[in-house]
Amino acid sequence: MTGSSAGVRPVTLHVWRVPRSAVPRALWRMAVDRRRLRRTPGVSFAKLLGTGRDLRFGLGDADPTRWAAIVVWHDAAAAEEFAGSPVGRSWAAIATAGCRLTLRPVSSRGRWAGRAPFDAAAPGGPIANGPGPAGNGPGPAGNGAGPMLVLTRARLRPARAPRFWRTIPRVARALPTTPGLLAAFGVGEAPLGWQGTISVWRNATDLVGFAYRRPGHRAVVAATPARRWYVEELFARFAVLDISGDRDVLGWTERDDPG
């Protein structure tokens, strides 16, 4: 694992693909492993997540064959022990493929379950304010030229949820042709359904280009403050330090600029 900056806790994203025959066991693991993951030595914050299909973010687009965990660690040494932990072993036992991303927090704004789990290496103003994959990643583009990961997470106000979900297709339609987008899928803390997104970008320039220059995303960004969709929201941006395992689990693909 690549080391993190001093004072910034390392973060790992684990994504597993399971066969359809193992979906009941994955649902059971979601139920029993939440507390076990939080109690794993070295863990500061952790969430098990269901996911959606690649580049699909609607209510009916859950993917029961792909599951994920986002984990904040006290230090890099603790993170290295995850594969041998009870939770790591239990998911490896039912998965046909897996991928781990090692992340360094660059900026983060908001709360998740009442906490601000991601230490930010550099503060900054907002990139965008919307539910799409570019999300509300705080701060301008990072200095690094390498891949960036954006995590958005929100708890919706029930009365505003139907209108929120109607805005998602206009953002999703632009994704297949977006330059620099390497992977994107919905995530959520319930076994089915989700309230967030994960997206991986070739670099910060491509991320900012989508956030500011795509009309559908800009429209959602502009509407978010006025419509007050969220009870709680968190938007974080990470430098991707390392990717190990099968990238196909992420729906990985290169998209070149058509121009």
Side-chain angles (χ1 to χ4, degrees), residues 13-250:
L13 172 67
H14 307 265
V15 186
W16 301 281
R17 178 70 69 185
V18 304
R20 291 198 174 274
S21 60
V23 168
R25 283 180 285 169
L27 292 169
W28 175 248
R29 296 258 61 87
M30 286 288 289
V32 302
D33 281 344
R34 295 180 188 274
R35 182 174 295 180
R36 293 172 76 195
L37 180 57
R38 290 195 299 268
R39 292 180 175 178
T40 298
V43 169
S44 170
F45 178 89
K47 291 289 183 179
L48 284 171
L49 303 167
T51 80
R53 288 183 281 173
D54 298 333
L55 305 177
R56 302 282 293 273
F57 301 93
L59 283 171
D61 293 320
D63 184 350
T65 70
R66 180 169 58 186
W67 304 85
I70 185 83
V71 188
V72 183
W73 300 91
H74 289 297
D75 53 54
E80 289 298 328
E81 300 299 321
F82 177 75
S85 71
V87 175
R89 293 198 309 269
S90 68
W91 282 93
I94 64 173
T96 57
C99 188
R100 186 185 80 169
L101 289 81
T102 304
L103 309 172
R104 177 177 59 82
V106 173
S107 53
S108 180
R109 184 174 67 81
R111 291 186 174 273
W112 191 336
R115 295 182 58 185
F118 307 113
D119 295 325
I127 279 182
N129 293 292
N136 193 359
N143 295 327
M148 305 291 295
L149 183 142
V150 174
L151 168 69
T152 77
R153 184 267 177 187
R155 182 158 59 92
L156 296 171
R157 298 180 188 276
R160 291 174 170 80
R163 191 169 186 179
F164 168 86
W165 288 113
R166 288 196 296 270
T167 69
I168 297 302
R170 75 180 72 172
V171 179
R173 280 193 295 268
L175 291 176
T177 59
T178 299
L181 179 64
L182 302 175
F185 50 90
V187 294
E189 294 154 77
L192 297 175
W194 53 88
Q195 304 82 36
T197 64
I198 286 172
S199 58
V200 185
W201 299 82
R202 182 169 49 195
N203 52 49
T205 300
D206 290 326
L207 164 60
V208 174
F210 174 80
Y212 283 124
R213 300 187 186 106
R214 293 284 173 156
H217 192 267
R218 287 204 313 269
V220 175
V221 167
T224 299
R227 293 179 180 173
R228 300 178 65 246
W229 278 314
Y230 311 133
V231 175
E232 182 184 61
E233 56 186 319
L234 180 141
F235 305 92
R237 187 162 49 91
F238 305 84
V240 179
L241 303 181
D242 181 67
I243 303 175
S244 61
D246 186 353
R247 298 187 185 195
D248 287 344
V249 175
L250 307 174

